[in-house]
């Protein structure tokens, strides 16, 4: 999935009463823009923080076949990947898990964890509890989504000579994300550690359904039923255009990005005023999510009026 922010804008002065300029997104231009960044949570850690905050709590590897932290979930019988992935008890944890208040369910019971944008960290939990994972998201500024899943891990650190395929244990993991997620991104299905196969089951994803935070200098936010079609102002078009911001580790879903683009547009217009001294000021903005096969995209719109 493509993931991005796109900003569109409206302007209130133009030549005498023209028909509004096309206000659709130039999707060909968006497709030609830089690709969003996708990352996956690591498998061989118990907790993790991304990027400059990273302080991995590594699973022990101090010796050959070093014991790993005990898992909290049941081990499948027989102890195989196939049995793990078909374990109805594990799958029932996912399908019966409640959707926390303030969230909407993006997917349920997938066999892969997320590979998405704006990864914000991982915690290993004692039980498959979506409410606890949501609480971690609520405590982390900028968190927009979380992934709760069940992971098959080795009981000891695999070694090609001494313990290439040890017995498994079962962990419950919670990852946090700073951009909305979709089912197509649940494609991180595990890895090989020597002859041991790490695997995923019962993977659920949830997006925050609450409104984004307010932005200083702007009213709202207001939920809309669709994208804004900028009106004419005394016969003059008020559409200023759009901007596209690919999601990455440094760019999640943040209304401040849109507000800055809106204010920057006003500043630029004031420095390049018309001969009569008028210029367009950005007066409002909107965001929307582009969803198509491949990545997700965010689009942002802004509107303006002329000002002396």
């Amino acid at each position: 999935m493509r993931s991005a922010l796109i900003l569109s804008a409206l302007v209130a002065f133009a030549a005498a009463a023209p028909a509004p300029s096309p206000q659709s997104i130039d999707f060909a231009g968006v497709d030609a823009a830089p690709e969003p960044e996708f990352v996956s949570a690591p498998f061989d850690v118990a907790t993790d923080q991304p990027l400059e905050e990273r302080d991995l709590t590594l699973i022990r590897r101090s010796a050959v076949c070093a014991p790993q932290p005990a898992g909290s979930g049941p081990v499948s019988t027989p102890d195989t990947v196939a049995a793990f992935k078909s374990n109805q008890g594990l799958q029932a944890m996912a399908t019966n898990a409640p959707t926390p208040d303030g969230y909407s369910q993006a997917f349920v019971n997938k066999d892969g964890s997320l590979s998405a944008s704006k990864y914000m960290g991982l915690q290993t939990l004692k039980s498959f509890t979506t409410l606890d994972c949501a609480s971690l998201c609520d405590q982390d500024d900028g968190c927009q989504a979380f992934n709760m899943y069940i992971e098959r891990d080795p009981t000891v650190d695999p070694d090609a000579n001494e313990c290439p395929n040890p017995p498994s244990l079962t962990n419950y993991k919670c990852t946090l994300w700073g951009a909305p997620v979709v089912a197509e991104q649940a494609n991180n299905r595990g890895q090989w550690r020597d002859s041991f196969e790490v695997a995923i089951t019962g993977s659920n994803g949830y997006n925050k359904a609450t409104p984004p935070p307010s932005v200083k200098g702007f009213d709202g936010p207001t939920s809309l039923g669709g994208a804004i079609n900028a009106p004419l102002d005394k016969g003059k078009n008020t559409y200023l255009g759009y901007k596209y911001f690919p999601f990455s580790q440094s760019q999640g879903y943040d209304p401040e990005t849109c507000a800055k683009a809106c204010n920057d547009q006003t500043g630029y217009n004031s420095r390049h005023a018309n001969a009569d001294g008028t210029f367009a000021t950005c007066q409002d903005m909107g965001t929307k999510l582009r969803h198509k096969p491949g990545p997700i995209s965010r689009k942002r719109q802004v509107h303006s009026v002329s000002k002396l």
Side-chain angles (χ1 to χ4, degrees), residues 255-273:
E256 291 285 353
T257 302
C258 192
K260 182 179 185 303
C262 181
N263 292 330
D264 287 349
Q265 185 68 55
T266 297
Y268 177 87
N269 291 348
S270 69
R271 295 189 299 272
H272 300 81

Side-chain angles (χ1 to χ4, degrees), residues 269-287:
N269 291 348
S270 69
R271 295 189 299 272
H272 300 81
N274 295 325
D276 62 0
T278 61
F279 61 92
T281 62
C282 178
Q283 293 294 306
D284 59 76
M285 57 190 182
T287 71

Side-chain angles (χ1 to χ4, degrees), residues 138-175:
D138 291 339
Q139 295 172 48
D140 200 329
D141 290 343
C143 183
Q144 294 293 319
F146 70 86
N147 183 199
M148 183 83 212
Y149 56 95
I150 306 169
E151 185 173 290
R152 180 182 189 263
D153 291 317
T155 52
V156 300
D157 185 24
D159 177 83
N161 296 318
E162 300 295 331
C163 51
N165 188 20
S168 76
L169 55 81
T170 302
N171 280 315
Y172 302 117
K173 294 197 171 182
C174 165
T175 57

Side-chain angles (χ1 to χ4, degrees), residues 185-265:
Q185 294 171 317
N187 57 18
N188 185 20
R189 294 183 172 85
Q191 66 173 182
W192 288 93
R193 293 177 61 182
D194 289 313
S195 297
F196 182 90
E197 185 176 359
V198 176
I200 306 293
T201 194
S203 178
N204 290 7
Y206 302 86
N207 291 315
K208 276 193 175 177
T210 53
S214 59
V215 178
K216 184 178 180 180
F218 292 85
D219 294 330
T222 300
S223 178
L224 303 174
I228 296 170
N229 190 37
L232 295 176
D233 180 17
K234 298 179 181 178
K236 297 177 181 179
N237 189 18
T238 64
Y239 181 60
L240 280 172
Y242 72 89
K243 293 186 184 296
Y244 172 81
F245 303 93
F247 285 142
S248 68
Q249 279 302 95
S250 60
Q251 176 66 69
Y253 177 62
D254 184 0
E256 291 285 353
T257 302
C258 192
K260 182 179 185 303
C262 181
N263 292 330
D264 287 349
Q265 185 68 55

Side-chain angles (χ1 to χ4, degrees), residues 102-114:
Y103 289 83
S104 62
Q105 189 178 79
F107 55 87
V108 62
N109 198 29
K110 296 294 185 180
D111 63 356
S113 59
L114 281 170

Side-chain angles (χ1 to χ4, degrees), residues 40-120:
S40 301
F43 290 103
D44 57 348
V45 301
T47 63
D48 182 32
Q49 293 176 311
L51 294 178
E52 67 276 2
E53 299 176 358
R54 181 159 254 159
D55 180 19
L56 300 182
T57 303
L58 290 170
I59 294 175
R60 292 188 299 274
R61 291 185 175 179
S62 57
V64 173
C65 301
Q68 307 296 277
S72 298
V75 175
S76 301
T77 303
D79 188 2
T80 64
V81 171
F84 173 79
K85 288 187 173 182
S86 63
N87 188 313
Q88 295 185 0
L90 297 179
Q91 294 180 11
M93 295 181 193
T95 56
N96 295 331
T99 298
D101 289 343
Y103 289 83
S104 62
Q105 189 178 79
F107 55 87
V108 62
N109 198 29
K110 296 294 185 180
D111 63 356
S113 59
L114 281 170
S115 179
S117 296
K118 193 60 176 175
Y119 169 64
M120 298 183 68

